[in-house]
Amino acid sequence: MYLRYQLFDDQRDAMILVARIMILILYGYFGFTYVTDHGSFVSYLKTVNAPIPEFTAIVATIIEFFGGLALLFGFWTRPIAAIFVVYTIGTGIIGHAFWNSTNPADHHTLFVHFFKNVSIAGGFLFLCLLGPGKYSIDKR
């Protein structure tokens, strides 16, 4: 039973830190590109028919870059992770709308990306539940 239930108990906080880093690499990278090349991001949002692309770009930049940094450092972890759950599902709906695709290859690609977003949102749900661990500003 030790292996099944207690194997990683001693490394729990370190593993939560590694998980926070892993889940946020994507958001940190893209958030940085949204800050440094905002115009291209707005143009992309127009191609996927995002609502109010200029405003949506600002919201996405704040969430991905600044929210990502906050989560990385473990600051306001649970509420920000909850925001990321909603945000990640929303970006999947807007950016990976496989149900609108008639091309089989595009449909498959969008389908995979949409469900990757769903899976990432699941990771954020775990972060909401677990909290950031002791290696964080929140230290919980």
Side-chain angles (χ1 to χ4, degrees):
M1 286 299 190
Y2 177 78
L3 273 174
R4 186 170 177 188
Y5 294 107
Q6 298 171 343
L7 178 64
F8 297 112
D9 281 356
D10 295 341
Q11 292 83 28
R12 181 182 186 274
D13 292 308
M15 291 183 75
I16 292 172
L17 173 62
V18 170
R20 283 195 343 251
I21 293 167
M22 289 173 69
I23 199 169
L24 292 165
I25 289 171
L26 178 72
Y27 291 94
Y29 171 77
F30 282 106
F32 181 75
T33 65
Y34 301 163
V35 169
T36 58
D37 191 7
H38 193 73
S40 293
F41 182 47
V42 171
S43 297
Y44 165 74
L45 290 173
K46 289 177 182 177
T47 67
V48 295
N49 299 315
I52 320 167
E54 293 80 7
F55 178 73
T56 302
I58 293 168
V59 170
T61 301
I62 291 169
I63 291 173
E64 291 200 26
F65 186 71
F66 296 105
L69 285 175
L71 285 181
L72 179 65
F73 293 111
F75 180 69
W76 283 5
T77 303
R78 290 180 179 193
I80 293 176
I83 290 168
F84 267 92
V85 170
V86 175
Y87 174 78
T88 302
I89 296 294
T91 57
I93 291 169
I94 292 169
H96 308 301
F98 66 89
W99 48 88
N100 291 334
S101 178
T102 56
N103 177 306
D106 290 342
H107 180 274
H108 177 73
T109 299
L110 292 169
F111 181 86
V112 168
H113 286 295
F114 176 82
F115 281 101
K116 281 183 184 178
N117 276 41
V118 171
S119 297
I120 293 167
F124 283 119
L125 277 176
F126 272 113
L127 193 53
C128 284
L129 174 68
L130 293 172
K134 72 178 181 182
Y135 302 119
S136 65
I137 293 171
D138 293 343
K139 295 190 187 215
R140 299 175 188 211

